[in-house]
Amino acid sequence: MAATRQSPERSSMIAGGGAEDAARFREGSPGGDDFAPSPLGTREHWDAVYERGLNNFQDYGDRGEIWFGEESMNRLIRWLQKHKIPLDASVLDIGTGNGVFLVELAKLGFSNITGIDYSPPAIQLSGSIIEKEGLSNIKLKVEDFLNLSTELSGFHICIDRGTFDAVSLNPDNAIEKRKQYVKSLSRVLKVKGFFLITSCNWTKEELLNEFSEGFELFEELPTPKFSFGGRSGSSVTALVFQKT
């Protein structure tokens, strides 16, 4: 790979913590084929992360980081409310991690929400947090989005906050895995359904290219901007696609 897109700052963002604060300038590199492979793209890494998270929750009640910060959750919630998404709409959180976003949706009254993660410790952690919150209307499942079971389909809303980023860093043929991700998304999302993606690794133009088949851009969500050396940029991209 000619260029290295993976920086220590970006690694910390994907690992879940302070993505909104760790600003970087985004210079488009269409196609995104120059990501450096990273342990952040492996299941072993995330199993270890969420095993530690589960222990911390059991010992101290610490729910862990909110990927991309609390504002990233609020941004998605505002969009759902702005577009009057019905509370009984089926919602899939792809790579749910600690499940904190599911908790917020349930508290708002959403009643048909599902979280999946390929890491069993992540599902254990999210289940423990949901149980402590006294919520019973959230479905959780250990599921590899790149190798789906036949049970997942027909969702009105799919949400990704960093999972596509992690897939892009997989050391084992990340390009093909990205293609499989798009195929899986097409399979689980209803026609005219919405896909909300938040990324710290991909620009708007790159995501438009990655999801060009079967999806169209519905809306770009505002994210914090910054300036450096007379140039402006954003540390995070947040887009809404609609399945065609």
Side-chain angles (χ1 to χ4, degrees):
M1 294 185 181
T4 298
R5 296 268 301 267
Q6 178 66 13
S7 67
E9 291 82 5
R10 191 176 307 154
S11 297
S12 68
M13 287 190 280
I14 297 174
E20 296 282 15
D21 300 324
R24 75 175 181 91
F25 183 74
R26 314 176 67 84
E27 291 184 290
S29 144
D33 293 341
D34 55 348
F35 284 107
S38 167
L40 292 166
T42 67
R43 183 178 308 189
E44 291 78 12
H45 171 82
W46 295 110
D47 282 347
V49 166
Y50 288 114
E51 282 173 5
R52 290 194 299 270
L54 182 60
N55 290 333
N56 286 337
F57 180 74
Q58 291 170 340
D59 293 342
Y60 309 110
D62 180 5
R63 302 194 307 178
E65 299 280 2
I66 299 174
W67 276 34
F68 300 106
E70 188 170 350
E71 170 57 23
S72 69
M73 291 200 307
N74 294 335
R75 183 187 305 124
L76 300 179
I77 288 169
R78 287 194 297 269
W79 186 89
L80 295 171
Q81 294 173 329
K82 171 186 173 182
H83 291 278
K84 296 180 170 58
I85 302 300
L87 294 179
D88 62 351
S90 53
V91 179
L92 178 66
D93 191 20
I94 303 167
T96 195
N98 60 13
V100 171
F101 186 63
L102 296 175
V103 169
E104 295 305 311
L105 290 180
K107 288 181 177 180
L108 289 170
F110 284 89
S111 59
N112 189 7
I113 50 183
T114 301
I116 62 171
D117 204 294
Y118 70 177
S119 172
I123 295 300
Q124 286 181 274
L125 173 59
S126 54
S128 297
I129 291 172
I130 288 166
E131 182 180 8
K132 185 174 182 179
E133 293 285 345
L135 300 169
S136 59
N137 59 339
I138 299 174
K139 296 181 284 290
L140 295 172
K141 185 175 177 59
V142 176
E143 186 82 51
D144 183 352
F145 194 64
L146 304 184
N147 186 25
L148 289 171
S149 71
T150 57
E151 300 172 14
L152 289 174
S153 64
F155 287 91
H156 297 96
I157 305 286
C158 288
I159 293 171
D160 180 315
R161 297 177 303 118
T163 298
F164 189 69
D165 284 354
V167 169
S168 305
L169 298 174
N170 191 291
D172 182 21
N173 202 346
I175 295 174
E176 286 304 315
K177 284 181 167 56
R178 297 199 319 257
K179 292 178 180 178
Q180 183 57 51
Y181 181 104
V182 177
K183 291 178 182 178
S184 294
L185 179 64
S186 182
R187 173 178 158 186
V188 301
L189 189 62
K190 283 179 174 289
V191 174
K192 300 299 182 183
F194 294 105
F195 172 53
L196 287 67
I197 181 169
T198 303
S199 170
C200 64
N201 269 0
W202 296 86
T203 65
K204 172 184 176 181
E205 291 73 21
E206 290 170 341
L207 288 173
L208 288 174
N209 182 63
E210 290 292 308
F211 294 92
S212 61
E213 294 187 15
F215 301 90
E216 61 184 9
L217 180 65
F218 183 82
E219 188 174 350
E220 181 178 8
L221 304 183
T223 59
K225 307 294 182 183
F226 70 94
S227 297
F228 180 77
R231 306 172 76 182
S232 62
S234 174
S235 61
V236 174
T237 302
L239 302 179
V240 180
F241 288 93
Q242 188 171 32
K243 182 179 174 181
T244 57

